[in-house]
PDB file of all heavy atoms in Angstrom:
ATOM      1  N   MET B 324     131.344  41.188 195.531  1.00  0.00           N
ATOM      2  CA  MET B 324     131.083  42.557 196.019  1.00  0.00           C
ATOM      3  C   MET B 324     132.354  43.240 196.575  1.00  0.00           C
ATOM      4  O   MET B 324     132.634  44.358 196.320  1.00  0.00           O
ATOM      5  CB  MET B 324     129.915  42.570 196.957  1.00  0.00           C
ATOM      6  CG  MET B 324     129.331  43.965 197.206  1.00  0.00           C
ATOM      7  SD  MET B 324     128.413  44.568 195.736  1.00  0.00           S
ATOM      8  CE  MET B 324     129.507  45.926 195.205  1.00  0.00           C
ATOM      9  N   PRO B 325     133.094  42.580 197.494  1.00  0.00           N
ATOM     10  CA  PRO B 325     134.265  43.239 198.091  1.00  0.00           C
ATOM     11  C   PRO B 325     135.315  43.618 197.048  1.00  0.00           C
ATOM     12  O   PRO B 325     135.958  44.673 197.182  1.00  0.00           O
ATOM     13  CB  PRO B 325     134.847  42.205 199.067  1.00  0.00           C
ATOM     14  CG  PRO B 325     133.644  41.386 199.421  1.00  0.00           C
ATOM     15  CD  PRO B 325     132.803  41.279 198.171  1.00  0.00           C
ATOM     16  N   TYR B 326     135.446  42.821 196.047  1.00  0.00           N
ATOM     17  CA  TYR B 326     136.452  43.106 194.925  1.00  0.00           C
ATOM     18  C   TYR B 326     135.965  44.262 194.111  1.00  0.00           C
ATOM     19  O   TYR B 326     136.745  45.224 193.794  1.00  0.00           O
ATOM     20  CB  TYR B 326     136.689  41.861 194.070  1.00  0.00           C
ATOM     21  CG  TYR B 326     137.148  40.665 194.864  1.00  0.00           C
ATOM     22  CD1 TYR B 326     136.240  39.691 195.304  1.00  0.00           C
ATOM     23  CD2 TYR B 326     138.490  40.575 195.223  1.00  0.00           C
ATOM     24  CE1 TYR B 326     136.618  38.610 196.065  1.00  0.00           C
ATOM     25  CE2 TYR B 326     138.944  39.444 195.990  1.00  0.00           C
ATOM     26  CZ  TYR B 326     138.019  38.520 196.433  1.00  0.00           C
ATOM     27  OH  TYR B 326     138.440  37.433 197.132  1.00  0.00           O
ATOM     28  N   VAL B 327     134.691  44.300 193.707  1.00  0.00           N
ATOM     29  CA  VAL B 327     134.102  45.421 192.955  1.00  0.00           C
ATOM     30  C   VAL B 327     134.225  46.713 193.775  1.00  0.00           C
ATOM     31  O   VAL B 327     134.596  47.783 193.236  1.00  0.00           O
ATOM     32  CB  VAL B 327     132.715  45.094 192.529  1.00  0.00           C
ATOM     33  CG1 VAL B 327     132.036  46.317 191.882  1.00  0.00           C
ATOM     34  CG2 VAL B 327     132.646  43.884 191.581  1.00  0.00           C
ATOM     35  N   MET B 328     133.935  46.589 195.063  1.00  0.00           N
ATOM     36  CA  MET B 328     134.006  47.832 195.881  1.00  0.00           C
ATOM     37  C   MET B 328     135.449  48.360 195.994  1.00  0.00           C
ATOM     38  O   MET B 328     135.697  49.529 196.073  1.00  0.00           O
ATOM     39  CB  MET B 328     133.401  47.570 197.286  1.00  0.00           C
ATOM     40  CG  MET B 328     131.912  47.352 197.289  1.00  0.00           C
ATOM     41  SD  MET B 328     131.265  46.918 198.903  1.00  0.00           S
ATOM     42  CE  MET B 328     131.366  48.541 199.696  1.00  0.00           C
ATOM     43  N   THR B 329     136.387  47.400 196.090  1.00  0.00           N
ATOM     44  CA  THR B 329     137.802  47.834 196.141  1.00  0.00           C
ATOM     45  C   THR B 329     138.202  48.526 194.855  1.00  0.00           C
ATOM     46  O   THR B 329     138.888  49.569 194.950  1.00  0.00           O
ATOM     47  CB  THR B 329     138.672  46.547 196.348  1.00  0.00           C
ATOM     48  OG1 THR B 329     138.371  45.922 197.577  1.00  0.00           O
ATOM     49  CG2 THR B 329     140.170  46.993 196.349  1.00  0.00           C
ATOM     50  N   TRP B 330     137.741  48.068 193.709  1.00  0.00           N
ATOM     51  CA  TRP B 330     138.031  48.744 192.402  1.00  0.00           C
ATOM     52  C   TRP B 330     137.402  50.123 192.394  1.00  0.00           C
ATOM     53  O   TRP B 330     138.005  51.093 191.990  1.00  0.00           O
ATOM     54  CB  TRP B 330     137.482  47.889 191.270  1.00  0.00           C
ATOM     55  CG  TRP B 330     137.465  48.666 189.932  1.00  0.00           C
ATOM     56  CD1 TRP B 330     136.381  49.213 189.342  1.00  0.00           C
ATOM     57  CD2 TRP B 330     138.561  48.952 189.128  1.00  0.00           C
ATOM     58  NE1 TRP B 330     136.739  49.809 188.184  1.00  0.00           N
ATOM     59  CE2 TRP B 330     138.075  49.648 188.007  1.00  0.00           C
ATOM     60  CE3 TRP B 330     139.940  48.655 189.202  1.00  0.00           C
ATOM     61  CZ2 TRP B 330     138.913  50.148 187.005  1.00  0.00           C
ATOM     62  CZ3 TRP B 330     140.784  49.136 188.183  1.00  0.00           C
ATOM     63  CH2 TRP B 330     140.259  49.899 187.086  1.00  0.00           C
ATOM     64  N   ASN B 331     136.134  50.197 192.927  1.00  0.00           N
ATOM     65  CA  ASN B 331     135.383  51.449 192.845  1.00  0.00           C
ATOM     66  C   ASN B 331     135.798  52.435 193.939  1.00  0.00           C
ATOM     67  O   ASN B 331     135.473  53.665 193.873  1.00  0.00           O
ATOM     68  CB  ASN B 331     133.899  51.178 192.995  1.00  0.00           C
ATOM     69  CG  ASN B 331     133.249  50.475 191.816  1.00  0.00           C
ATOM     70  OD1 ASN B 331     133.753  50.678 190.653  1.00  0.00           O
ATOM     71  ND2 ASN B 331     132.229  49.721 192.014  1.00  0.00           N
ATOM     72  N   ALA B 332     136.530  52.000 194.966  1.00  0.00           N
ATOM     73  CA  ALA B 332     136.805  52.814 196.139  1.00  0.00           C
ATOM     74  C   ALA B 332     137.274  54.208 195.894  1.00  0.00           C
ATOM     75  O   ALA B 332     136.804  55.174 196.570  1.00  0.00           O
ATOM     76  CB  ALA B 332     137.767  52.050 197.091  1.00  0.00           C
ATOM     77  N   PRO B 333     138.249  54.478 195.011  1.00  0.00           N
ATOM     78  CA  PRO B 333     138.618  55.856 194.754  1.00  0.00           C
ATOM     79  C   PRO B 333     137.545  56.789 194.357  1.00  0.00           C
ATOM     80  O   PRO B 333     137.629  58.003 194.604  1.00  0.00           O
ATOM     81  CB  PRO B 333     139.668  55.712 193.618  1.00  0.00           C
ATOM     82  CG  PRO B 333     140.165  54.351 193.691  1.00  0.00           C
ATOM     83  CD  PRO B 333     138.951  53.508 194.085  1.00  0.00           C
ATOM     84  N   LEU B 334     136.491  56.313 193.732  1.00  0.00           N
ATOM     85  CA  LEU B 334     135.389  57.183 193.289  1.00  0.00           C
ATOM     86  C   LEU B 334     134.126  57.155 194.224  1.00  0.00           C
ATOM     87  O   LEU B 334     133.210  57.924 193.954  1.00  0.00           O
ATOM     88  CB  LEU B 334     134.997  56.762 191.893  1.00  0.00           C
ATOM     89  CG  LEU B 334     135.735  57.458 190.737  1.00  0.00           C
ATOM     90  CD1 LEU B 334     137.202  56.899 190.663  1.00  0.00           C
ATOM     91  CD2 LEU B 334     135.004  57.183 189.377  1.00  0.00           C
ATOM     92  N   ILE B 335     134.165  56.318 195.233  1.00  0.00           N
ATOM     93  CA  ILE B 335     132.949  56.273 196.092  1.00  0.00           C
ATOM     94  C   ILE B 335     133.286  56.532 197.571  1.00  0.00           C
ATOM     95  O   ILE B 335     132.646  55.989 198.472  1.00  0.00           O
ATOM     96  CB  ILE B 335     132.276  54.870 195.964  1.00  0.00           C
ATOM     97  CG1 ILE B 335     133.222  53.709 196.364  1.00  0.00           C
ATOM     98  CG2 ILE B 335     131.674  54.642 194.544  1.00  0.00           C
ATOM     99  CD1 ILE B 335     132.594  52.364 196.509  1.00  0.00           C
ATOM    100  N   ARG B 336     134.299  57.316 197.786  1.00  0.00           N
ATOM    101  CA  ARG B 336     134.730  57.632 199.136  1.00  0.00           C
ATOM    102  C   ARG B 336     133.605  58.168 199.998  1.00  0.00           C
ATOM    103  O   ARG B 336     133.405  57.797 201.170  1.00  0.00           O
ATOM    104  CB  ARG B 336     135.915  58.650 199.144  1.00  0.00           C
ATOM    105  CG  ARG B 336     136.550  58.912 200.481  1.00  0.00           C
ATOM    106  CD  ARG B 336     137.391  57.779 200.853  1.00  0.00           C
ATOM    107  NE  ARG B 336     138.087  58.119 202.138  1.00  0.00           N
ATOM    108  CZ  ARG B 336     138.820  57.181 202.778  1.00  0.00           C
ATOM    109  NH1 ARG B 336     139.024  55.986 202.341  1.00  0.00           N
ATOM    110  NH2 ARG B 336     139.369  57.535 203.934  1.00  0.00           N
ATOM    111  N   ASN B 337     132.842  59.130 199.436  1.00  0.00           N
ATOM    112  CA  ASN B 337     131.688  59.696 200.135  1.00  0.00           C
ATOM    113  C   ASN B 337     130.676  58.650 200.457  1.00  0.00           C
ATOM    114  O   ASN B 337     130.102  58.663 201.568  1.00  0.00           O
ATOM    115  CB  ASN B 337     131.059  60.882 199.337  1.00  0.00           C
ATOM    116  CG  ASN B 337     129.928  61.525 200.078  1.00  0.00           C
ATOM    117  OD1 ASN B 337     130.054  61.955 201.191  1.00  0.00           O
ATOM    118  ND2 ASN B 337     128.777  61.575 199.384  1.00  0.00           N
ATOM    119  N   GLU B 338     130.356  57.786 199.504  1.00  0.00           N
ATOM    120  CA  GLU B 338     129.397  56.754 199.727  1.00  0.00           C
ATOM    121  C   GLU B 338     129.827  55.752 200.780  1.00  0.00           C
ATOM    122  O   GLU B 338     129.029  55.319 201.603  1.00  0.00           O
ATOM    123  CB  GLU B 338     129.045  55.989 198.402  1.00  0.00           C
ATOM    124  CG  GLU B 338     128.175  56.796 197.449  1.00  0.00           C
ATOM    125  CD  GLU B 338     128.912  57.847 196.679  1.00  0.00           C
ATOM    126  OE1 GLU B 338     130.179  57.877 196.712  1.00  0.00           O
ATOM    127  OE2 GLU B 338     128.266  58.680 196.055  1.00  0.00           O
ATOM    128  N   LEU B 339     131.114  55.423 200.790  1.00  0.00           N
ATOM    129  CA  LEU B 339     131.663  54.521 201.778  1.00  0.00           C
ATOM    130  C   LEU B 339     131.517  55.134 203.219  1.00  0.00           C
ATOM    131  O   LEU B 339     131.217  54.440 204.169  1.00  0.00           O
ATOM    132  CB  LEU B 339     133.115  54.176 201.490  1.00  0.00           C
ATOM    133  CG  LEU B 339     133.394  53.306 200.309  1.00  0.00           C
ATOM    134  CD1 LEU B 339     134.888  53.199 200.056  1.00  0.00           C
ATOM    135  CD2 LEU B 339     132.811  51.905 200.550  1.00  0.00           C
ATOM    136  N   ALA B 340     131.701  56.446 203.344  1.00  0.00           N
ATOM    137  CA  ALA B 340     131.510  57.117 204.603  1.00  0.00           C
ATOM    138  C   ALA B 340     130.071  57.030 205.096  1.00  0.00           C
ATOM    139  O   ALA B 340     129.803  56.776 206.267  1.00  0.00           O
ATOM    140  CB  ALA B 340     131.975  58.584 204.500  1.00  0.00           C
ATOM    141  N   GLN B 341     129.136  57.174 204.105  1.00  0.00           N
ATOM    142  CA  GLN B 341     127.742  57.090 204.513  1.00  0.00           C
ATOM    143  C   GLN B 341     127.353  55.607 204.866  1.00  0.00           C
ATOM    144  O   GLN B 341     126.558  55.406 205.764  1.00  0.00           O
ATOM    145  CB  GLN B 341     126.846  57.590 203.388  1.00  0.00           C
ATOM    146  CG  GLN B 341     126.999  59.086 203.123  1.00  0.00           C
ATOM    147  CD  GLN B 341     126.134  59.553 201.978  1.00  0.00           C
ATOM    148  OE1 GLN B 341     124.925  59.652 202.082  1.00  0.00           O
ATOM    149  NE2 GLN B 341     126.789  59.862 200.892  1.00  0.00           N
ATOM    150  N   ILE B 342     127.892  54.641 204.118  1.00  0.00           N
ATOM    151  CA  ILE B 342     127.649  53.229 204.457  1.00  0.00           C
ATOM    152  C   ILE B 342     128.175  52.940 205.845  1.00  0.00           C
ATOM    153  O   ILE B 342     127.591  52.184 206.638  1.00  0.00           O
ATOM    154  CB  ILE B 342     128.288  52.317 203.398  1.00  0.00           C
ATOM    155  CG1 ILE B 342     127.600  52.462 202.068  1.00  0.00           C
ATOM    156  CG2 ILE B 342     128.265  50.869 203.842  1.00  0.00           C
ATOM    157  CD1 ILE B 342     128.256  51.735 200.902  1.00  0.00           C
ATOM    158  N   ALA B 343     129.389  53.486 206.126  1.00  0.00           N
ATOM    159  CA  ALA B 343     129.976  53.229 207.457  1.00  0.00           C
ATOM    160  C   ALA B 343     129.044  53.738 208.574  1.00  0.00           C
ATOM    161  O   ALA B 343     128.821  53.053 209.595  1.00  0.00           O
ATOM    162  CB  ALA B 343     131.314  53.948 207.596  1.00  0.00           C
ATOM    163  N   ARG B 344     128.470  54.908 208.416  1.00  0.00           N
ATOM    164  CA  ARG B 344     127.533  55.424 209.408  1.00  0.00           C
ATOM    165  C   ARG B 344     126.278  54.523 209.509  1.00  0.00           C
ATOM    166  O   ARG B 344     125.805  54.250 210.618  1.00  0.00           O
ATOM    167  CB  ARG B 344     127.124  56.883 209.065  1.00  0.00           C
ATOM    168  CG  ARG B 344     128.266  57.876 209.281  1.00  0.00           C
ATOM    169  CD  ARG B 344     127.811  59.291 209.274  1.00  0.00           C
ATOM    170  NE  ARG B 344     127.373  59.711 207.929  1.00  0.00           N
ATOM    171  CZ  ARG B 344     128.178  60.220 206.992  1.00  0.00           C
ATOM    172  NH1 ARG B 344     129.491  60.441 207.328  1.00  0.00           N
ATOM    173  NH2 ARG B 344     127.758  60.602 205.837  1.00  0.00           N
ATOM    174  N   ALA B 345     125.791  54.146 208.361  1.00  0.00           N
ATOM    175  CA  ALA B 345     124.558  53.294 208.383  1.00  0.00           C
ATOM    176  C   ALA B 345     124.810  51.960 209.092  1.00  0.00           C
ATOM    177  O   ALA B 345     123.876  51.352 209.717  1.00  0.00           O
ATOM    178  CB  ALA B 345     124.101  53.083 206.948  1.00  0.00           C
ATOM    179  N   ALA B 346     125.994  51.399 208.887  1.00  0.00           N
ATOM    180  CA  ALA B 346     126.416  50.102 209.432  1.00  0.00           C
ATOM    181  C   ALA B 346     127.012  50.235 210.862  1.00  0.00           C
ATOM    182  O   ALA B 346     127.344  49.164 211.423  1.00  0.00           O
ATOM    183  CB  ALA B 346     127.288  49.356 208.474  1.00  0.00           C
ATOM    184  N   GLY B 347     127.267  51.395 211.353  1.00  0.00           N
ATOM    185  CA  GLY B 347     127.903  51.563 212.631  1.00  0.00           C
ATOM    186  C   GLY B 347     129.320  51.231 212.661  1.00  0.00           C
ATOM    187  O   GLY B 347     129.899  50.689 213.635  1.00  0.00           O
ATOM    188  N   LEU B 348     130.032  51.561 211.601  1.00  0.00           N
ATOM    189  CA  LEU B 348     131.484  51.234 211.451  1.00  0.00           C
ATOM    190  C   LEU B 348     132.307  52.492 211.636  1.00  0.00           C
ATOM    191  O   LEU B 348     131.828  53.607 211.642  1.00  0.00           O
ATOM    192  CB  LEU B 348     131.765  50.656 210.036  1.00  0.00           C
ATOM    193  CG  LEU B 348     130.941  49.401 209.716  1.00  0.00           C
ATOM    194  CD1 LEU B 348     131.231  49.004 208.316  1.00  0.00           C
ATOM    195  CD2 LEU B 348     131.389  48.235 210.668  1.00  0.00           C
ATOM    196  N   ASP B 349     133.622  52.336 211.840  1.00  0.00           N
ATOM    197  CA  ASP B 349     134.509  53.401 212.160  1.00  0.00           C
ATOM    198  C   ASP B 349     135.098  54.073 210.884  1.00  0.00           C
ATOM    199  O   ASP B 349     136.327  54.042 210.729  1.00  0.00           O
ATOM    200  CB  ASP B 349     135.634  52.940 213.032  1.00  0.00           C
ATOM    201  CG  ASP B 349     135.151  52.536 214.464  1.00  0.00           C
ATOM    202  OD1 ASP B 349     134.148  53.068 214.847  1.00  0.00           O
ATOM    203  OD2 ASP B 349     135.770  51.628 215.008  1.00  0.00           O
ATOM    204  N   GLY B 350     134.257  54.566 210.046  1.00  0.00           N
ATOM    205  CA  GLY B 350     134.763  55.295 208.875  1.00  0.00           C
ATOM    206  C   GLY B 350     134.821  54.504 207.615  1.00  0.00           C
ATOM    207  O   GLY B 350     134.677  53.254 207.612  1.00  0.00           O
ATOM    208  N   PRO B 351     135.073  55.172 206.515  1.00  0.00           N
ATOM    209  CA  PRO B 351     134.998  54.554 205.164  1.00  0.00           C
ATOM    210  C   PRO B 351     135.990  53.414 204.943  1.00  0.00           C
ATOM    211  O   PRO B 351     135.685  52.456 204.238  1.00  0.00           O
ATOM    212  CB  PRO B 351     135.269  55.775 204.177  1.00  0.00           C
ATOM    213  CG  PRO B 351     135.938  56.773 205.019  1.00  0.00           C
ATOM    214  CD  PRO B 351     135.359  56.598 206.388  1.00  0.00           C
ATOM    215  N   ASP B 352     137.143  53.515 205.542  1.00  0.00           N
ATOM    216  CA  ASP B 352     138.134  52.471 205.339  1.00  0.00           C
ATOM    217  C   ASP B 352     137.730  51.103 206.009  1.00  0.00           C
ATOM    218  O   ASP B 352     138.302  50.060 205.662  1.00  0.00           O
ATOM    219  CB  ASP B 352     139.479  52.849 205.930  1.00  0.00           C
ATOM    220  CG  ASP B 352     140.128  54.003 205.086  1.00  0.00           C
ATOM    221  OD1 ASP B 352     139.798  54.169 203.920  1.00  0.00           O
ATOM    222  OD2 ASP B 352     140.892  54.788 205.705  1.00  0.00           O
ATOM    223  N   ALA B 353     136.777  51.136 206.887  1.00  0.00           N
ATOM    224  CA  ALA B 353     136.344  49.936 207.588  1.00  0.00           C
ATOM    225  C   ALA B 353     135.309  49.172 206.804  1.00  0.00           C
ATOM    226  O   ALA B 353     135.028  47.979 207.116  1.00  0.00           O
ATOM    227  CB  ALA B 353     135.833  50.290 208.981  1.00  0.00           C
ATOM    228  N   VAL B 354     134.723  49.782 205.775  1.00  0.00           N
ATOM    229  CA  VAL B 354     133.492  49.179 205.135  1.00  0.00           C
ATOM    230  C   VAL B 354     133.834  47.841 204.429  1.00  0.00           C
ATOM    231  O   VAL B 354     133.202  46.876 204.677  1.00  0.00           O
ATOM    232  CB  VAL B 354     132.833  50.172 204.231  1.00  0.00           C
ATOM    233  CG1 VAL B 354     131.724  49.491 203.414  1.00  0.00           C
ATOM    234  CG2 VAL B 354     132.288  51.347 204.980  1.00  0.00           C
ATOM    235  N   ILE B 355     134.771  47.895 203.539  1.00  0.00           N
ATOM    236  CA  ILE B 355     135.036  46.721 202.738  1.00  0.00           C
ATOM    237  C   ILE B 355     135.564  45.523 203.555  1.00  0.00           C
ATOM    238  O   ILE B 355     135.007  44.409 203.444  1.00  0.00           O
ATOM    239  CB  ILE B 355     136.003  47.050 201.563  1.00  0.00           C
ATOM    240  CG1 ILE B 355     135.397  48.127 200.646  1.00  0.00           C
ATOM    241  CG2 ILE B 355     136.298  45.783 200.751  1.00  0.00           C
ATOM    242  CD1 ILE B 355     136.320  48.682 199.640  1.00  0.00           C
ATOM    243  N   PRO B 356     136.472  45.709 204.515  1.00  0.00           N
ATOM    244  CA  PRO B 356     136.881  44.594 205.356  1.00  0.00           C
ATOM    245  C   PRO B 356     135.730  44.065 206.223  1.00  0.00           C
ATOM    246  O   PRO B 356     135.543  42.855 206.420  1.00  0.00           O
ATOM    247  CB  PRO B 356     137.973  45.184 206.228  1.00  0.00           C
ATOM    248  CG  PRO B 356     138.556  46.353 205.489  1.00  0.00           C
ATOM    249  CD  PRO B 356     137.359  46.895 204.751  1.00  0.00           C
TER     250      PRO B 356
END
Side-chain angles (χ1 to χ4, degrees):
M324 199 69 250
Y326 302 97
V327 172
M328 291 177 74
T329 300
W330 168 258
N331 290 332
L334 273 69
I335 59 169
R336 186 77 179 174
N337 180 57
E338 284 79 11
L339 288 173
Q341 293 179 73
I342 291 172
R344 288 193 290 272
L348 302 173
D349 295 329
D352 292 333
V354 172
I355 299 173

